[in-house]
């Protein structure tokens, strides 16, 4: 299995290489095989990418939005044509099963490009009458944006950042996670093929140091990070030095609340989707599953039955439902959390161990009798580990659900219409799902509150984060001066 790219980076419209940069082996986590080798960007390459982006941006911004949109729509069509090839690459890089990558990764990226291609021509300013004078506003791009991605949805994250940035007239330098460097390079090639002028979308490989170099460079006007809270704190602080605009899509410990009047099968489906999709490596996962006591035993029984039937295996096999974690380090971290949960007295319902001896597989794991103070209920695990907690009343569960520094997402399963909306109003989260979980259509803004982030991706809200407003006051004369 080889997935070696032509070169490590993509700068100024073409693949670029400098083997002086640190060697990064790209490993397929299902079997430990090295599928590619790339090199981290050297300071000279970082400089080239930022220069290329700065040079290209003004002409791009001067195009009619419909012309920019046409190029992005063409790129979306190319992604859809090549969805299978791109999905195989994403599966090799991340270990996620092909049945997921075929529908959730490049396809979501294409959605983003299509959505923002259509949105760009609709953007307009405001006219503000001032008697004989008037003012108007212009929506301007920031200039050069830096995007820094996590490893769980590499192609989707690259597209969710690049599509609005480019649609509204910015240039982007994107750094994928060093664990999953491959699909962003494909995106860059496709954008060029679709007609994107050179320099507008650049990809630089490397670990946190390359991200940090982007976060502190004076040429970067806006930073968008998808990653953990500790990284978010560093990147936000670096951005503050230059008073740069930021979007921070960070981690969570989201509550999924199941009332005793919920449809049991739907609630179990929501909990499984919200904990085991992508082997649990989803930022918005509902990893604290609160179940109202009268439903608890029936819920756990059905949940365990369906969880035990999940098929783990070769992620390239279309029948496989759960692949490995993205890296050995992540597998070790998840196994440590499982041990901590056991040690603290949580009751293991199913799973709880590594699966097999090859690759980074962890069994889908459910703990019951979890209490709010346990590590498993407080820390983001980012693996297939669900914590089930009991509750009695609506007020109690709302207070407990909100008692976390995170605020990315939340879910409620109930047939009571008014309670569902009361809960949605009270939950401290950027996204709330009612009788659903983890659906993130492009049309809906996505982001966090509290320590889960600032800013929103997708939907109309993205306009606020990839443009800035200029006010223009027009004096129609004469100028009224008191001196
Ligand atoms: P990390 O925070 O470890 O890394 C995110 C990115 O930031 C990587 O590209 C990383 O580089 C880079 N980075 C690390 N240090 C710095 C630094 N000092 N300056 C600039 N960039 C830096 O997250 P993971 O990749 O481990 O992803 C998992 C996390 O992402 C989870 O917490 C998850 O919840 C969150 N996430 C949030 C989402 C959201 O939309 N809210 C969606 C998906 C994930 P490298 O790793 O290559 O060293």
């Amino acid at each position: 299995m080889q997935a070696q790219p032509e070169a490590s980076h993509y700068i100024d419209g073409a693949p670029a290489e400098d083997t002086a940069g640190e060697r990064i082996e790209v490993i397929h986590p299902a079997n430990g095989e090295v599928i590619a080798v790339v090199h981290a960007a050297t300071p000279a390459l970082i400089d080239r990418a930022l220069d290329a982006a700065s040079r290209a941006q003004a002409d791009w911004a001067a195009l009619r939005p419909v012309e920019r949109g046409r190029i992005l729509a063409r790129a979306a069509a190319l992604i859809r044509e090549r969805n299978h090839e791109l999905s195989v690459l994403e599966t090799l890089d991340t270990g996620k099963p092909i049945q997921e990558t075929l529908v959730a990764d490049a396809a979501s990226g294409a959605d983003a490009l299509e959505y923002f291609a259509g949105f760009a021509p609709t953007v307009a300013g405001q006219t503000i009458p001032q008697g004989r004078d008037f003012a108007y506003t212009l929506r301007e791009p920031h200039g050069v944006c830096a995007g820094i991605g996590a490893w769980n949805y590499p192609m989707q994250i690259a597209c969710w950042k690049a599509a609005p940035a480019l649609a509204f007239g910015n240039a982007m330098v994107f750094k994928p996670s060093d664990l999953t460097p491959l699909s962003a390079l494909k995106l860059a090639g496709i954008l060029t093929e679709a007609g994107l002028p050179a320099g507008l979308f650049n990809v630089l490989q490397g670990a946190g140091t390359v991200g940090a170099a982007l976060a502190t460079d004076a040429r970067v006007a806006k930073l968008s990070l998808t990653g953990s809270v500790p990284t978010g704190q560093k990147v936000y602080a670096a951005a503050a030095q230059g008073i740069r605009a930021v979007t921070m899509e960070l981690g969570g410990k989201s509550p999924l609340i199941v009332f005793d009047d919920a449809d049991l099968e739907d609630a179990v489906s929501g909990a499984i989707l919200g904990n085991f999709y992508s082997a649990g490596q989803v930022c918005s996962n509902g990893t604290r599953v609160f179940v109202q006591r009268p439903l608890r035993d029936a819920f756990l029984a059905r949940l365990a039955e369906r969880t035990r039937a999940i098929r783990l295996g070769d992620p390239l096999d279309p029948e496989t439902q759960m692949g490995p974690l993205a890296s050995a380090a992540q597998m070790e971290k998840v196994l440590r959390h499982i041990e901590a949960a056991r040690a603290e007295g949580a009751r293991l319902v199913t799973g709880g161990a590594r699966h097999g001896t090859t690759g980074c597989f962890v069994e889908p794991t459910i703990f019951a009798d979890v209490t709010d103070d346990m590590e498993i209920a407080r820390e983001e695990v980012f693996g297939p580990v669900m914590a089930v907690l009991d509750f009695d009343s609506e007020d109690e569960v709302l207070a407990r659900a909100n008692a976390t520094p995170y605020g990315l997402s939340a879910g409620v399963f109930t047939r009571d219409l008014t309670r569902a909306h009361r809960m949605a109003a009270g939950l401290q989260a950027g996204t709330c799902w009612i009788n659903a979980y983890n659906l993130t259509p492009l049309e809906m803004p996505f982001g966090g509150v509290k320590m889960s982030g600032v800013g929103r991706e997708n939907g109309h809200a993205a306009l606020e984060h990839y443009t800035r407003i200029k006010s223009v006051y027009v004096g129609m004369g004469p100028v009224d001066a008191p001196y």
Side-chain angles (χ1 to χ4, degrees):
M1 278 186 294
Q2 270 302 308
Q4 184 61 39
E6 188 182 336
S8 300
H9 318 282
Y10 199 93
I11 300 175
D12 210 4
E17 190 58 274
D18 183 350
T19 52
E22 197 189 325
R23 183 183 151 90
I24 299 169
E25 289 188 343
V26 187
I27 292 167
H28 180 46
N31 59 15
E33 216 176 282
V34 176
I35 55 165
V37 173
V38 296
H39 292 269
T42 52
L45 284 185
I46 298 173
D47 198 49
R48 259 192 66 200
L50 287 167
D51 259 353
S54 307
R55 260 186 281 113
Q57 189 266 330
D59 285 349
W60 176 244
L63 285 183
R64 288 172 58 215
V66 76
E67 293 174 297
R68 294 198 298 266
R70 200 174 298 139
I71 291 169
L72 301 187
R74 220 177 279 142
L78 288 172
I79 288 176
R80 288 202 197 286
E81 274 170 31
R82 294 175 202 167
N83 186 39
H84 192 268
E85 172 201 329
L86 293 167
S87 303
V88 169
L89 184 70
E90 202 74 322
T91 287
L92 288 174
D93 211 356
T94 61
K96 295 194 296 178
I98 190 80
Q99 60 168 246
E100 287 188 17
T101 52
L102 278 171
V103 296
D105 292 83
S108 167
D111 280 356
L113 288 159
E114 271 166 358
Y115 178 85
F116 287 104
F119 185 2
T122 71
V123 174
Q126 214 186 352
T127 310
I128 305 154
Q130 290 292 302
R132 73 179 174 204
D133 295 350
F134 65 99
Y136 62 92
T137 60
L138 296 169
R139 279 275 174 192
E140 294 185 332
H142 287 290
V144 176
C145 304
I148 303 174
W151 40 258
N152 57 343
Y153 282 81
M155 178 71 161
Q156 187 195 84
I157 290 170
C159 289
W160 282 18
K161 296 187 190 310
L166 294 172
F168 302 136
N170 300 279
M172 176 159 273
V173 178
F174 184 77
K175 187 201 89 66
S177 163
D178 61 349
L179 280 178
T180 53
L182 302 179
S183 49
L185 293 169
K186 290 283 182 196
L187 173 64
I190 285 172
L191 283 164
T192 299
E193 205 179 322
L196 187 74
L200 290 165
F201 183 72
N202 308 274
V203 178
L204 293 174
Q205 308 296 351
T209 47
V210 175
L214 294 175
T216 48
D217 195 286
R219 284 164 289 190
V220 173
K222 192 231 154 71
L223 277 155
S224 177
L225 168 79
T226 298
S228 60
V229 170
T231 303
Q233 288 167 322
K234 286 185 211 151
V235 174
Y236 205 171
Q241 293 305 308
I243 318 288
R244 293 189 183 89
V246 295
T247 302
M248 295 278 145
E249 294 286 0
L250 309 177
K253 191 75 204 173
S254 302
L256 193 165
I257 300 165
V258 181
F259 285 94
D260 61 6
D261 66 344
D263 180 290
L264 177 65
E265 208 56 28
D266 280 351
V268 169
S269 296
I272 288 181
L273 279 172
N275 279 273
F276 299 143
Y277 203 74
S278 296
Q281 302 163 112
V282 181
C283 52
S284 49
N285 271 356
T287 49
R288 290 183 296 146
V289 179
F290 291 92
V291 184
Q292 203 165 18
R293 226 174 279 272
L295 193 66
R296 204 261 317 251
D297 291 347
F299 179 87
L300 279 174
R302 187 65 183 128
L303 178 67
E305 187 186 0
R306 287 179 57 184
T307 299
R308 288 191 192 108
I310 292 175
R311 282 190 297 274
L312 273 77
D314 176 2
L316 286 169
D317 178 345
E319 297 300 315
T320 293
Q321 293 174 312
M322 189 188 285
L325 293 165
S327 66
Q330 188 61 18
M331 176 180 72
E332 295 303 334
K333 178 179 169 237
V334 170
L335 292 172
R336 276 198 303 276
H337 278 293
I338 289 174
E339 280 322 304
R342 277 195 166 125
E344 286 187 291
R347 174 164 62 91
L348 184 67
V349 176
T350 187
R354 186 176 175 187
H355 170 84
T357 50
T358 309
C360 308
F361 293 86
V362 173
E363 294 171 349
T365 298
I366 300 167
F367 283 104
D369 302 343
V370 174
T371 53
D372 297 349
D373 55 327
M374 290 180 186
E375 181 190 283
I376 199 82
R378 290 184 288 108
E379 294 186 13
E380 187 181 44
V381 176
F382 227 55
V385 183
M386 185 190 310
V388 179
L389 305 92
D390 309 333
F391 76 94
D392 293 303
S393 75
E394 184 181 321
D395 286 350
E396 171 213 334
V397 77
L398 183 62
R400 289 170 61 198
N402 286 338
T404 165
Y406 295 111
L408 191 55
S409 310
V412 184
F413 278 83
T414 178
R415 287 194 178 101
D416 181 334
L417 185 69
T418 52
R419 176 162 64 193
H421 293 290
R422 224 171 24 243
M423 290 295 291
L427 284 161
Q428 296 167 355
T431 302
C432 289
W433 287 280
I434 296 174
N435 295 332
Y437 206 83
N438 260 357
L439 301 176
T440 53
L442 252 295
E443 299 86 344
M444 184 176 88
F446 183 77
V449 301
K450 294 158 71 179
M451 290 187 84
S452 291
V454 291
R456 291 291 177 269
E457 291 190 317
N458 300 340
H460 279 214
L463 178 67
E464 298 301 327
H465 302 288
Y466 281 101
T467 60
R468 58 188 182 205
I469 290 177
K470 178 183 277 172
S471 297
V472 181
Y473 187 100
V474 183
M476 301 295 284
V479 173
D480 185 13
Y483 315 105

